[in-house]
Amino acid sequence: MAEPEFTATGVRIGRRLRSLTRAGQVMIRDGRLLLLTSYDTEIDSAPVHLVHAARPWFATRGRALTTVNGHRYLLTLADRDPAPGEPGPPSADTFFDAIRTAGGHAAAE
């Protein structure tokens, strides 16, 4: 399997008012976006070119509203990138850049 182009761990993944996981993973690998629980169980996945990601108007900078297969997920990433060697999720801006680079639709503002 190829190395992931983007990986974020410790991500809170929610759908509507329900939290699906508080320590999930978001990965972009082989042109697909994967949303995983902390136990590596797949929540949802789709080709990146079908994924839409944007910063929600109602939330802080560390969040991303992502549409995967017609389902909306609220991802809570970090407000800033962690220091080198420090664990934790990358910032939402890094996530938007990774989506754009992989061929998806992302709007940071």
Short mmCIF file of all heavy atoms in Angstrom, two decimals, residues 7-66:
data_model
loop_
_atom_site.label_atom_id
_atom_site.label_comp_id
_atom_site.label_asym_id
_atom_site.label_seq_id
_atom_site.Cartn_x
_atom_site.Cartn_y
_atom_site.Cartn_z
N THR A 7 -2.19 12.61 6.71
CA THR A 7 -2.68 11.84 7.86
C THR A 7 -2.88 12.77 9.03
O THR A 7 -2.02 13.58 9.34
CB THR A 7 -1.67 10.74 8.27
OG1 THR A 7 -1.44 9.89 7.16
CG2 THR A 7 -2.21 9.91 9.41
N ALA A 8 -4.02 12.66 9.67
CA ALA A 8 -4.30 13.40 10.90
C ALA A 8 -4.88 12.43 11.91
O ALA A 8 -5.81 11.69 11.61
CB ALA A 8 -5.29 14.53 10.62
N THR A 9 -4.30 12.40 13.09
CA THR A 9 -4.81 11.55 14.16
C THR A 9 -5.35 12.44 15.27
O THR A 9 -5.05 13.62 15.34
CB THR A 9 -3.70 10.65 14.72
OG1 THR A 9 -2.63 11.47 15.18
CG2 THR A 9 -3.18 9.69 13.67
N GLY A 10 -6.14 11.85 16.14
CA GLY A 10 -6.71 12.62 17.24
C GLY A 10 -7.78 13.60 16.78
O GLY A 10 -8.00 14.63 17.40
N VAL A 11 -8.46 13.27 15.69
CA VAL A 11 -9.47 14.16 15.11
C VAL A 11 -10.85 13.76 15.63
O VAL A 11 -11.22 12.59 15.61
CB VAL A 11 -9.46 14.06 13.57
CG1 VAL A 11 -10.53 14.93 12.96
CG2 VAL A 11 -8.09 14.44 13.04
N ARG A 12 -11.60 14.74 16.08
CA ARG A 12 -12.99 14.49 16.47
C ARG A 12 -13.82 14.51 15.19
O ARG A 12 -13.78 15.47 14.42
CB ARG A 12 -13.48 15.55 17.44
CG ARG A 12 -14.96 15.42 17.72
CD ARG A 12 -15.42 16.42 18.76
NE ARG A 12 -16.00 15.61 19.82
CZ ARG A 12 -15.89 15.83 21.08
NH1 ARG A 12 -15.22 16.86 21.52
NH2 ARG A 12 -16.45 15.04 21.95
N ILE A 13 -14.58 13.44 14.95
CA ILE A 13 -15.42 13.33 13.76
C ILE A 13 -16.86 13.23 14.23
O ILE A 13 -17.21 12.34 15.01
CB ILE A 13 -15.04 12.09 12.93
CG1 ILE A 13 -13.58 12.16 12.50
CG2 ILE A 13 -15.96 11.96 11.70
CD1 ILE A 13 -13.06 10.90 11.82
N GLY A 14 -17.68 14.15 13.76
CA GLY A 14 -19.08 14.16 14.13
C GLY A 14 -19.98 14.24 12.92
O GLY A 14 -19.58 14.70 11.85
N ARG A 15 -21.20 13.78 13.11
CA ARG A 15 -22.21 13.84 12.05
C ARG A 15 -23.49 14.35 12.68
O ARG A 15 -24.01 13.72 13.61
CB ARG A 15 -22.39 12.46 11.45
CG ARG A 15 -23.29 12.49 10.27
CD ARG A 15 -23.15 11.23 9.45
NE ARG A 15 -24.20 11.23 8.48
CZ ARG A 15 -24.86 10.19 8.10
NH1 ARG A 15 -24.56 9.02 8.57
NH2 ARG A 15 -25.82 10.29 7.23
N ARG A 16 -23.95 15.48 12.19
CA ARG A 16 -25.08 16.19 12.78
C ARG A 16 -24.76 16.49 14.25
O ARG A 16 -23.74 17.06 14.53
CB ARG A 16 -26.37 15.41 12.61
CG ARG A 16 -26.77 15.27 11.16
CD ARG A 16 -28.14 14.74 11.03
NE ARG A 16 -28.43 14.53 9.63
CZ ARG A 16 -29.60 14.72 9.12
NH1 ARG A 16 -30.60 15.11 9.87
NH2 ARG A 16 -29.80 14.51 7.84
N LEU A 17 -25.59 16.07 15.16
CA LEU A 17 -25.34 16.35 16.58
C LEU A 17 -24.63 15.19 17.28
O LEU A 17 -24.44 15.21 18.49
CB LEU A 17 -26.66 16.64 17.29
CG LEU A 17 -27.40 17.87 16.80
CD1 LEU A 17 -28.74 18.01 17.50
CD2 LEU A 17 -26.57 19.12 16.99
N ARG A 18 -24.24 14.19 16.53
CA ARG A 18 -23.65 12.99 17.11
C ARG A 18 -22.14 12.95 16.88
O ARG A 18 -21.66 13.14 15.77
CB ARG A 18 -24.29 11.78 16.45
CG ARG A 18 -23.83 10.48 16.99
CD ARG A 18 -24.62 9.34 16.36
NE ARG A 18 -23.99 8.09 16.71
CZ ARG A 18 -23.87 7.09 15.90
NH1 ARG A 18 -24.35 7.16 14.69
NH2 ARG A 18 -23.28 5.99 16.29
N SER A 19 -21.39 12.67 17.93
CA SER A 19 -19.96 12.49 17.81
C SER A 19 -19.70 11.01 17.49
O SER A 19 -20.09 10.13 18.24
CB SER A 19 -19.26 12.87 19.12
OG SER A 19 -17.88 12.62 19.01
N LEU A 20 -19.05 10.77 16.34
CA LEU A 20 -18.75 9.39 15.96
C LEU A 20 -17.48 8.90 16.62
O LEU A 20 -17.36 7.72 16.95
CB LEU A 20 -18.63 9.29 14.43
CG LEU A 20 -19.88 9.69 13.66
CD1 LEU A 20 -19.61 9.69 12.17
CD2 LEU A 20 -21.04 8.78 14.00
N THR A 21 -16.50 9.78 16.78
CA THR A 21 -15.27 9.42 17.48
C THR A 21 -14.59 10.70 17.93
O THR A 21 -14.69 11.73 17.28
CB THR A 21 -14.32 8.58 16.60
OG1 THR A 21 -13.17 8.24 17.37
CG2 THR A 21 -13.89 9.31 15.36
N ARG A 22 -13.90 10.62 19.06
CA ARG A 22 -13.15 11.78 19.56
C ARG A 22 -11.67 11.66 19.27
O ARG A 22 -10.93 12.59 19.51
CB ARG A 22 -13.38 11.92 21.07
CG ARG A 22 -14.81 12.29 21.39
CD ARG A 22 -14.98 12.61 22.83
NE ARG A 22 -14.67 11.45 23.66
CZ ARG A 22 -14.57 11.49 24.96
NH1 ARG A 22 -14.74 12.61 25.60
NH2 ARG A 22 -14.28 10.41 25.64
N ALA A 23 -11.24 10.52 18.77
CA ALA A 23 -9.82 10.31 18.48
C ALA A 23 -9.67 9.60 17.14
O ALA A 23 -8.95 8.62 17.03
CB ALA A 23 -9.17 9.52 19.60
N GLY A 24 -10.37 10.10 16.14
CA GLY A 24 -10.36 9.45 14.83
C GLY A 24 -9.15 9.81 13.99
O GLY A 24 -8.26 10.54 14.42
N GLN A 25 -9.15 9.28 12.79
CA GLN A 25 -8.08 9.54 11.83
C GLN A 25 -8.69 9.99 10.51
O GLN A 25 -9.73 9.49 10.10
CB GLN A 25 -7.28 8.27 11.56
CG GLN A 25 -6.56 7.71 12.75
CD GLN A 25 -5.83 6.44 12.37
OE1 GLN A 25 -5.18 6.37 11.34
NE2 GLN A 25 -5.95 5.43 13.22
N VAL A 26 -8.01 10.93 9.88
CA VAL A 26 -8.37 11.37 8.54
C VAL A 26 -7.15 11.11 7.68
O VAL A 26 -6.05 11.51 8.03
CB VAL A 26 -8.74 12.87 8.52
CG1 VAL A 26 -9.04 13.33 7.11
CG2 VAL A 26 -9.92 13.14 9.44
N MET A 27 -7.36 10.40 6.56
CA MET A 27 -6.25 10.02 5.71
C MET A 27 -6.60 10.25 4.25
O MET A 27 -7.74 10.02 3.85
CB MET A 27 -5.97 8.53 5.91
CG MET A 27 -4.54 8.18 6.07
SD MET A 27 -4.33 6.40 6.19
CE MET A 27 -4.67 6.12 7.91
N ILE A 28 -5.62 10.71 3.49
CA ILE A 28 -5.74 10.75 2.04
C ILE A 28 -4.67 9.81 1.51
O ILE A 28 -3.48 10.03 1.74
CB ILE A 28 -5.56 12.17 1.48
CG1 ILE A 28 -6.64 13.09 2.02
CG2 ILE A 28 -5.58 12.14 -0.05
CD1 ILE A 28 -6.48 14.54 1.62
N ARG A 29 -5.12 8.75 0.83
CA ARG A 29 -4.20 7.74 0.33
C ARG A 29 -4.74 7.22 -1.00
O ARG A 29 -5.92 6.91 -1.10
CB ARG A 29 -4.08 6.60 1.32
CG ARG A 29 -3.12 5.54 0.88
CD ARG A 29 -3.00 4.39 1.83
NE ARG A 29 -4.03 4.37 2.84
CZ ARG A 29 -3.98 3.65 3.93
NH1 ARG A 29 -2.95 2.89 4.16
NH2 ARG A 29 -4.95 3.66 4.80
N ASP A 30 -3.87 7.12 -1.99
CA ASP A 30 -4.23 6.60 -3.31
C ASP A 30 -5.44 7.31 -3.91
O ASP A 30 -6.31 6.69 -4.52
CB ASP A 30 -4.52 5.09 -3.24
CG ASP A 30 -3.31 4.29 -2.78
OD1 ASP A 30 -2.18 4.72 -3.08
OD2 ASP A 30 -3.51 3.25 -2.13
N GLY A 31 -5.53 8.62 -3.69
CA GLY A 31 -6.62 9.40 -4.27
C GLY A 31 -7.95 9.24 -3.56
O GLY A 31 -8.99 9.62 -4.09
N ARG A 32 -7.96 8.70 -2.35
CA ARG A 32 -9.20 8.52 -1.57
C ARG A 32 -9.07 9.18 -0.21
O ARG A 32 -8.01 9.14 0.40
CB ARG A 32 -9.50 7.04 -1.35
CG ARG A 32 -9.88 6.29 -2.60
CD ARG A 32 -10.34 4.88 -2.30
NE ARG A 32 -11.59 4.81 -1.56
CZ ARG A 32 -12.80 4.91 -2.10
NH1 ARG A 32 -12.92 5.11 -3.39
NH2 ARG A 32 -13.89 4.81 -1.37
N LEU A 33 -10.16 9.77 0.24
CA LEU A 33 -10.24 10.29 1.60
C LEU A 33 -10.86 9.21 2.46
O LEU A 33 -11.90 8.65 2.12
CB LEU A 33 -11.10 11.55 1.66
CG LEU A 33 -11.34 12.08 3.07
CD1 LEU A 33 -10.11 12.81 3.57
CD2 LEU A 33 -12.54 12.98 3.11
N LEU A 34 -10.20 8.90 3.58
CA LEU A 34 -10.70 7.89 4.52
C LEU A 34 -10.95 8.54 5.87
O LEU A 34 -10.08 9.25 6.38
CB LEU A 34 -9.68 6.77 4.69
CG LEU A 34 -9.34 5.98 3.45
CD1 LEU A 34 -7.86 5.65 3.42
CD2 LEU A 34 -10.16 4.72 3.45
N LEU A 35 -12.11 8.30 6.44
CA LEU A 35 -12.42 8.70 7.81
C LEU A 35 -12.46 7.43 8.64
O LEU A 35 -13.23 6.52 8.35
CB LEU A 35 -13.76 9.42 7.88
CG LEU A 35 -13.92 10.67 7.02
CD1 LEU A 35 -15.33 11.23 7.14
CD2 LEU A 35 -12.90 11.71 7.40
N LEU A 36 -11.60 7.35 9.65
CA LEU A 36 -11.46 6.13 10.45
C LEU A 36 -11.66 6.42 11.93
O LEU A 36 -11.34 7.51 12.40
CB LEU A 36 -10.05 5.53 10.25
CG LEU A 36 -9.61 5.25 8.83
CD1 LEU A 36 -8.11 4.97 8.80
CD2 LEU A 36 -10.37 4.10 8.26
N THR A 37 -12.12 5.41 12.66
CA THR A 37 -12.20 5.54 14.11
C THR A 37 -10.81 5.32 14.69
O THR A 37 -9.86 4.99 13.98
CB THR A 37 -13.16 4.49 14.72
OG1 THR A 37 -12.60 3.20 14.52
CG2 THR A 37 -14.55 4.58 14.12
N SER A 38 -10.69 5.44 15.99
CA SER A 38 -9.39 5.22 16.64
C SER A 38 -8.98 3.75 16.57
O SER A 38 -7.81 3.42 16.78
CB SER A 38 -9.44 5.68 18.10
OG SER A 38 -10.49 5.02 18.78
N TYR A 39 -9.91 2.86 16.25
CA TYR A 39 -9.61 1.43 16.12
C TYR A 39 -9.43 1.04 14.64
O TYR A 39 -9.52 -0.13 14.31
CB TYR A 39 -10.73 0.59 16.73
CG TYR A 39 -10.89 0.83 18.20
CD1 TYR A 39 -11.98 1.54 18.69
CD2 TYR A 39 -9.94 0.37 19.10
CE1 TYR A 39 -12.12 1.77 20.04
CE2 TYR A 39 -10.07 0.59 20.46
CZ TYR A 39 -11.17 1.30 20.92
OH TYR A 39 -11.32 1.53 22.25
N ASP A 40 -9.22 2.00 13.77
CA ASP A 40 -9.03 1.80 12.33
C ASP A 40 -10.24 1.21 11.62
O ASP A 40 -10.12 0.60 10.57
CB ASP A 40 -7.80 0.93 12.04
CG ASP A 40 -6.50 1.67 12.36
OD1 ASP A 40 -6.50 2.91 12.29
OD2 ASP A 40 -5.51 1.00 12.69
N THR A 41 -11.42 1.38 12.18
CA THR A 41 -12.65 0.98 11.51
C THR A 41 -13.08 2.13 10.61
O THR A 41 -13.11 3.28 11.03
CB THR A 41 -13.76 0.70 12.54
OG1 THR A 41 -13.30 -0.31 13.43
CG2 THR A 41 -15.03 0.24 11.86
N GLU A 42 -13.42 1.82 9.38
CA GLU A 42 -13.78 2.85 8.42
C GLU A 42 -15.17 3.42 8.72
O GLU A 42 -16.15 2.68 8.84
CB GLU A 42 -13.76 2.28 7.00
CG GLU A 42 -14.01 3.32 5.94
CD GLU A 42 -13.89 2.77 4.55
OE1 GLU A 42 -12.82 2.23 4.21
OE2 GLU A 42 -14.88 2.87 3.81
N ILE A 43 -15.23 4.73 8.84
CA ILE A 43 -16.50 5.43 8.99
C ILE A 43 -17.08 5.71 7.61
O ILE A 43 -18.24 5.43 7.33
CB ILE A 43 -16.32 6.75 9.77
CG1 ILE A 43 -15.87 6.46 11.19
CG2 ILE A 43 -17.61 7.56 9.77
CD1 ILE A 43 -15.43 7.68 11.98
N ASP A 44 -16.25 6.26 6.73
CA ASP A 44 -16.66 6.58 5.37
C ASP A 44 -15.40 6.81 4.53
O ASP A 44 -14.35 7.14 5.06
CB ASP A 44 -17.53 7.83 5.35
CG ASP A 44 -18.54 7.85 4.20
OD1 ASP A 44 -18.36 7.06 3.24
OD2 ASP A 44 -19.49 8.64 4.27
N SER A 45 -15.54 6.65 3.21
CA SER A 45 -14.44 6.96 2.32
C SER A 45 -15.01 7.26 0.94
O SER A 45 -16.12 6.83 0.61
CB SER A 45 -13.45 5.79 2.23
OG SER A 45 -14.02 4.71 1.53
N ALA A 46 -14.24 8.01 0.17
CA ALA A 46 -14.66 8.38 -1.19
C ALA A 46 -13.45 8.87 -1.95
O ALA A 46 -12.46 9.31 -1.35
CB ALA A 46 -15.72 9.46 -1.15
N PRO A 47 -13.51 8.82 -3.29
CA PRO A 47 -12.45 9.44 -4.07
C PRO A 47 -12.38 10.93 -3.76
O PRO A 47 -13.41 11.58 -3.57
CB PRO A 47 -12.89 9.21 -5.52
CG PRO A 47 -13.84 8.06 -5.46
CD PRO A 47 -14.50 8.16 -4.12
N VAL A 48 -11.17 11.45 -3.67
CA VAL A 48 -10.99 12.85 -3.25
C VAL A 48 -11.70 13.83 -4.19
O VAL A 48 -12.22 14.83 -3.73
CB VAL A 48 -9.49 13.19 -3.14
CG1 VAL A 48 -9.27 14.64 -2.81
CG2 VAL A 48 -8.84 12.33 -2.10
N HIS A 49 -11.75 13.51 -5.49
CA HIS A 49 -12.38 14.46 -6.40
C HIS A 49 -13.89 14.59 -6.17
O HIS A 49 -14.51 15.51 -6.68
CB HIS A 49 -12.07 14.10 -7.87
CG HIS A 49 -12.73 12.85 -8.35
ND1 HIS A 49 -12.20 11.61 -8.13
CD2 HIS A 49 -13.88 12.66 -9.03
CE1 HIS A 49 -12.99 10.69 -8.66
NE2 HIS A 49 -14.02 11.32 -9.21
N LEU A 50 -14.48 13.71 -5.37
CA LEU A 50 -15.90 13.80 -5.02
C LEU A 50 -16.14 14.40 -3.64
O LEU A 50 -17.28 14.54 -3.22
CB LEU A 50 -16.55 12.41 -5.09
CG LEU A 50 -16.53 11.72 -6.45
CD1 LEU A 50 -17.11 10.33 -6.34
CD2 LEU A 50 -17.27 12.56 -7.47
N VAL A 51 -15.07 14.75 -2.95
CA VAL A 51 -15.16 15.29 -1.58
C VAL A 51 -15.19 16.81 -1.62
O VAL A 51 -14.46 17.43 -2.38
CB VAL A 51 -13.95 14.80 -0.75
CG1 VAL A 51 -13.90 15.49 0.59
CG2 VAL A 51 -13.99 13.31 -0.59
N HIS A 52 -16.06 17.39 -0.80
CA HIS A 52 -16.11 18.84 -0.63
C HIS A 52 -15.76 19.16 0.81
O HIS A 52 -16.28 18.54 1.73
CB HIS A 52 -17.51 19.38 -0.94
CG HIS A 52 -17.90 19.19 -2.36
ND1 HIS A 52 -17.56 20.08 -3.35
CD2 HIS A 52 -18.59 18.20 -2.98
CE1 HIS A 52 -18.02 19.65 -4.50
NE2 HIS A 52 -18.65 18.50 -4.31
N ALA A 53 -14.89 20.14 1.00
CA ALA A 53 -14.48 20.55 2.35
C ALA A 53 -14.47 22.06 2.43
O ALA A 53 -14.03 22.73 1.49
CB ALA A 53 -13.10 20.00 2.68
N ALA A 54 -14.98 22.59 3.52
CA ALA A 54 -15.02 24.04 3.71
C ALA A 54 -14.98 24.34 5.20
O ALA A 54 -15.32 23.50 6.04
CB ALA A 54 -16.27 24.64 3.10
N ARG A 55 -14.59 25.55 5.51
CA ARG A 55 -14.61 26.01 6.89
C ARG A 55 -16.04 26.46 7.19
O ARG A 55 -16.57 27.31 6.49
CB ARG A 55 -13.65 27.16 7.11
CG ARG A 55 -13.54 27.58 8.55
CD ARG A 55 -12.54 28.67 8.77
NE ARG A 55 -11.45 28.62 7.84
CZ ARG A 55 -10.25 28.05 8.03
NH1 ARG A 55 -9.96 27.55 9.06
NH2 ARG A 55 -9.31 28.00 7.16
N PRO A 56 -16.68 25.89 8.19
CA PRO A 56 -18.05 26.31 8.50
C PRO A 56 -18.08 27.73 9.06
O PRO A 56 -17.18 28.13 9.79
CB PRO A 56 -18.52 25.29 9.53
CG PRO A 56 -17.31 24.62 10.04
CD PRO A 56 -16.22 24.81 9.04
N TRP A 57 -19.10 28.48 8.70
CA TRP A 57 -19.20 29.87 9.15
C TRP A 57 -19.45 29.96 10.64
O TRP A 57 -19.17 30.96 11.28
CB TRP A 57 -20.31 30.59 8.39
CG TRP A 57 -21.66 29.97 8.59
CD1 TRP A 57 -22.24 28.99 7.84
CD2 TRP A 57 -22.59 30.27 9.64
NE1 TRP A 57 -23.45 28.65 8.35
CE2 TRP A 57 -23.71 29.43 9.45
CE3 TRP A 57 -22.60 31.15 10.70
CZ2 TRP A 57 -24.81 29.45 10.29
CZ3 TRP A 57 -23.71 31.17 11.54
CH2 TRP A 57 -24.80 30.34 11.33
N PHE A 58 -19.96 28.89 11.24
CA PHE A 58 -20.36 28.90 12.64
C PHE A 58 -19.31 28.37 13.60
O PHE A 58 -19.55 28.26 14.79
CB PHE A 58 -21.64 28.07 12.82
CG PHE A 58 -21.50 26.65 12.34
CD1 PHE A 58 -20.95 25.67 13.15
CD2 PHE A 58 -21.90 26.31 11.06
CE1 PHE A 58 -20.81 24.37 12.69
CE2 PHE A 58 -21.78 25.01 10.61
CZ PHE A 58 -21.23 24.04 11.43
N ALA A 59 -18.13 28.02 13.09
CA ALA A 59 -17.16 27.33 13.94
C ALA A 59 -15.81 28.05 13.95
O ALA A 59 -15.56 28.95 13.16
CB ALA A 59 -16.98 25.90 13.44
N THR A 60 -14.95 27.60 14.84
CA THR A 60 -13.62 28.16 14.96
C THR A 60 -12.73 27.66 13.82
O THR A 60 -13.11 26.80 13.05
CB THR A 60 -12.97 27.74 16.30
OG1 THR A 60 -12.90 26.31 16.33
CG2 THR A 60 -13.77 28.23 17.48
N ARG A 61 -11.52 28.19 13.73
CA ARG A 61 -10.61 27.89 12.63
C ARG A 61 -10.17 26.43 12.59
O ARG A 61 -9.74 25.95 11.56
CB ARG A 61 -9.38 28.78 12.71
CG ARG A 61 -9.69 30.22 12.45
CD ARG A 61 -8.45 31.04 12.25
NE ARG A 61 -7.60 30.58 11.16
CZ ARG A 61 -7.78 30.87 9.88
NH1 ARG A 61 -8.80 31.59 9.52
NH2 ARG A 61 -6.92 30.44 8.97
N GLY A 62 -10.24 25.70 13.65
CA GLY A 62 -9.76 24.33 13.67
C GLY A 62 -10.76 23.31 13.17
O GLY A 62 -10.54 22.11 13.32
N ARG A 63 -11.85 23.74 12.56
CA ARG A 63 -12.88 22.80 12.12
C ARG A 63 -13.06 22.82 10.61
O ARG A 63 -12.83 23.83 9.96
CB ARG A 63 -14.20 23.11 12.79
CG ARG A 63 -14.14 22.88 14.28
CD ARG A 63 -15.47 22.99 14.90
NE ARG A 63 -15.36 22.68 16.32
CZ ARG A 63 -16.39 22.60 17.11
NH1 ARG A 63 -17.59 22.82 16.65
NH2 ARG A 63 -16.22 22.32 18.37
N ALA A 64 -13.50 21.69 10.09
CA ALA A 64 -13.76 21.57 8.65
C ALA A 64 -15.07 20.81 8.47
O ALA A 64 -15.28 19.77 9.09
CB ALA A 64 -12.63 20.83 7.96
N LEU A 65 -15.95 21.35 7.64
CA LEU A 65 -17.19 20.69 7.29
C LEU A 65 -16.92 19.95 5.97
O LEU A 65 -16.59 20.57 4.97
CB LEU A 65 -18.32 21.70 7.12
CG LEU A 65 -19.71 21.15 6.92
CD1 LEU A 65 -20.12 20.32 8.14
CD2 LEU A 65 -20.69 22.28 6.73
N THR A 66 -17.01 18.64 6.00
CA THR A 66 -16.61 17.81 4.87
C THR A 66 -17.80 16.96 4.42
O THR A 66 -18.46 16.34 5.24
CB THR A 66 -15.44 16.89 5.26
OG1 THR A 66 -14.39 17.70 5.80
CG2 THR A 66 -14.92 16.12 4.10
#
